[in-house]
Each structure stands twice: as C-alpha cells, then as structure tokens.
C-alpha cells in the first residue's frame, strides 16, 4: 500500500494535479449493449440499471486491472455540426485492448453525444473524435452495495461484487471481519468488480475498503453489511456511500467551461 501511495504522489508531482483532467481520443461503438454488460467487470444485467445503458469498454490504462470498473466519465464528440456541447455520461463496464481508441461505447451512449435529431447521423460515422474527463458517479437514494456471487459457499468461499460506487475514486483494497471483531482478513480482486476470500469469518460480516482519495488513500468502514445468513445472488446495502474525489496528474484541467 505504501509503495502504491508513493507512486501516486510521484505521478501527481510530475504534472498538474486536478480532479477534472480533460483527455483527447477517438471512440467507436458496439451495436449491442449486451457485449459491454457481460464484460470484464462482471456487472451483468445490473450494468444497464446503473448507467441507463450508457456503457463503455476502456483500454487497460483506464480499466486498471479492474480498479477502474464503475468509473464515470463525461464525454463529448468534437464535430460541431453533429455533437452537443454537453455530451453524455458513461460508466466503465468492460475492457478493450485496441489502442486505436480509449473507449468503445454502447450505441445508446454513442448517440447520446449527438445534437437532438442527429443520433443516426453520428452512428453512420462509426468513429469520432472526442474529449472526456473523469467525473463523480452519483446514484440517487442508493448506497454502496455488494452482491454475493453464486459461486460463494459457506464456510469456505465468499465472492462479492461491488455496486453503485459513488464519488470519483477506485477501490484498491478490501478486508472482511465478523461484526464486532478486529480480526480483519484481506480479500483479493478476483476479476473486475469482484472480490473474494477463502477465509470466511463466521456470523454477520463487516467490510473496510481502501479507496484513492485526494492525493492519497483512505479507509472506509462499512460496519454491518452481510447478515449471518447471507445468501448467494442477493444484493446487500452497505449503509454507506463513497463521495471522495481522487486527484490525478494531467496536462490539461477542466477550466469550468464544460458543464
């Protein structure tokens, strides 16, 4: 963890630090959103619920071995005849490895960048120049939640999927313990947004998360998440939400003109 934070500090010290870096790239689209919802983050059908179908697959530098799953971005295309000035908000749900574009979007997200009545015109282009920035995720009236995956089996294995992660952060570590205990055990990122452990404590379970925040990292504690009789396939409310903003180093910060 200390090594990660030192590396993060080095990156920030070598460039302008801000929470709204603006990046330039090209994006393409998938004709079927299912290709993205069933992707590397493992959200399945819940991806559409979280994003309204505005899904995106991103290059490894944004996917970050799964830590980038659930990240929100504001994106707009640059053709002034076709594109709106506001653009649209997307959620990262999958990985793609073609370095010709930073993102591949669902067709719904791709069309949402267009001016009113120009959606089909932008689809015909297939590939467009864009600028984008990381923005906080907001889920009205929803806390951070975890879904117990079907592969979980007491008392030997627990896998959970993190859902509705707010703010502008990444979860880089997770621990689990029995409620009321200080005997924490670490969990590992299995893939995407899924964390697991083969050392499952008895009883009701609490979790603590290490998230990137500001220039550093911080612990966030969810004190009573899974009941003692937790069941696979069920989504559990953590009782908390993440609202922190992580800084990043970049050559161009949003000057406030892009609303």
């Amino acid at each position: 963890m200390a090594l990660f934070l030192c590396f993060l500090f080095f990156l920030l010290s070598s460039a302008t630090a801000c929470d709204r870096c603006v990046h330039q790239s090209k994006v393409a689209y998938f004709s079927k959103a299912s290709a993205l919802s069933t992707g590397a983050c493992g959200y399945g059908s819940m991806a559409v619920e979280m994003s309204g179908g505005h899904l995106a697959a991103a290059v490894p530098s944004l996917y970050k071995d799964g830590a980038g799953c659930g990240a929100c971005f504001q994106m707009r295309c640059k053709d002034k005849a076709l594109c709106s000035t506001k653009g649209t908000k997307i959620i990262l749900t999958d990985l793609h490895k073609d370095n010709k574009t930073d993102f591949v979007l669902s067709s719904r997200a791709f069309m949402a960048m267009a001016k009113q009545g120009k959606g089909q015109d932008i689809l015909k282009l297939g590939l467009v120049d864009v600028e984008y920035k990381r923005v906080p995720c907001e889920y009205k009236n929803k806390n951070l939640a975890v879904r117990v995956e079907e592969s979980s089996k007491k008392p030997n294995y627990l896998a959970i999927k993190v859902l509705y992660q707010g703010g502008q952060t990444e979860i880089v570590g997770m621990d689990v313990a029995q409620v009321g205990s200080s005997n924490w055990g670490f969990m590992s990122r299995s893939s995407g947004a899924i964390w697991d452990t083969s050392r499952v404590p008895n009883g009701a379970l609490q979790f603590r998360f290490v998230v990137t925040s500001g220039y550093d990292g911080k612990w966030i504690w969810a004190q009573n998440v899974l009941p003692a009789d937790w069941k696979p396939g069920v989504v559990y409310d953590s009782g908390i939400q993440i609202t922190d903003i992580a800084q990043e180093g970049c050559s161009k910060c949003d000057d406030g003109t892009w609303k």
Side-chain angles (χ1 to χ4, degrees):
M1 180 65 188
L3 180 62
F4 166 78
L5 295 178
C6 288
F7 179 66
L8 182 63
F9 176 79
F10 170 77
L11 290 178
L12 292 171
S13 63
S14 61
T16 302
C18 60
D19 55 20
R20 297 290 189 278
C21 297
V22 179
H23 306 274
Q24 312 291 324
S25 184
K26 295 179 182 292
V27 300
Y29 72 92
F30 281 119
S31 58
K32 293 184 178 180
S34 59
L36 297 171
S37 63
T38 58
C41 290
Y43 291 126
S45 60
M46 299 199 75
V48 175
E49 178 186 336
M50 291 193 298
S51 67
H54 290 205
L55 313 178
V59 290
S61 61
L62 295 171
Y63 179 75
K64 301 179 181 179
D65 293 324
C69 287
C72 296
F73 297 86
Q74 191 75 19
M75 180 180 294
R76 62 183 179 185
C77 51
K78 299 170 73 172
D79 185 329
K80 294 183 179 179
L82 296 177
C83 305
S84 70
T85 56
K86 183 179 180 181
T88 191
K89 189 174 182 179
I90 61 171
I91 294 181
L92 197 161
T93 60
D94 197 4
L95 169 68
H96 92 97
K97 299 180 180 180
D98 183 351
N99 60 11
K100 294 178 182 178
T101 66
D102 283 3
F103 293 94
V104 178
L105 308 183
S106 63
S107 57
R108 181 178 296 182
F110 199 82
M111 292 175 67
M113 294 188 294
K115 291 180 177 178
Q116 186 173 2
K118 299 290 186 179
Q120 291 299 321
D121 294 326
I122 197 173
L123 278 184
K124 292 176 182 177
L125 294 178
L127 183 73
V128 295
D129 292 304
V130 298
E131 56 183 5
Y132 67 89
K133 60 183 179 180
R134 180 85 183 264
V135 295
C137 297
E138 298 175 347
Y139 297 103
K140 189 175 181 180
N141 300 322
K142 282 189 179 295
N143 289 323
L144 183 76
V146 299
R147 182 185 188 275
V148 178
E149 297 296 275
E150 280 80 2
S151 57
S152 301
K153 187 175 182 180
K154 295 180 183 178
N156 300 317
Y157 183 69
L158 172 65
I160 61 169
K161 181 187 303 172
V162 180
L163 302 169
Y164 308 117
Q165 180 182 342
Q168 190 175 316
T169 64
E170 290 145 14
I171 295 174
V172 295
M174 186 183 300
D175 291 343
V176 61
Q178 185 179 37
V179 171
S181 171
S182 59
N183 185 22
W184 292 94
F186 73 90
M187 300 185 72
S188 301
R189 188 184 298 279
S190 171
S191 63
I194 300 171
W195 294 76
D196 67 0
T197 180
S198 58
R199 301 179 64 182
V200 186
N202 294 320
L205 301 180
Q206 59 180 328
F207 297 92
R208 62 184 184 183
F209 310 89
V210 182
V211 301
T212 54
S213 176
Y215 298 95
D216 209 332
K218 67 180 289 187
W219 288 99
I220 293 179
W221 182 20
Q223 298 184 39
N224 197 336
V225 183
L226 298 190
D229 61 344
W230 55 263
K231 295 177 175 60
V234 178
V235 176
Y236 295 94
D237 189 326
S238 73
I240 63 166
Q241 184 52 281
I242 299 173
T243 58
D244 295 88
I245 303 294
Q247 299 284 311
E248 60 178 317
C250 56
S251 59
K252 181 183 177 182
C253 293
D254 180 19
D255 59 7
T257 59
W258 184 1
K259 301 294 186 181

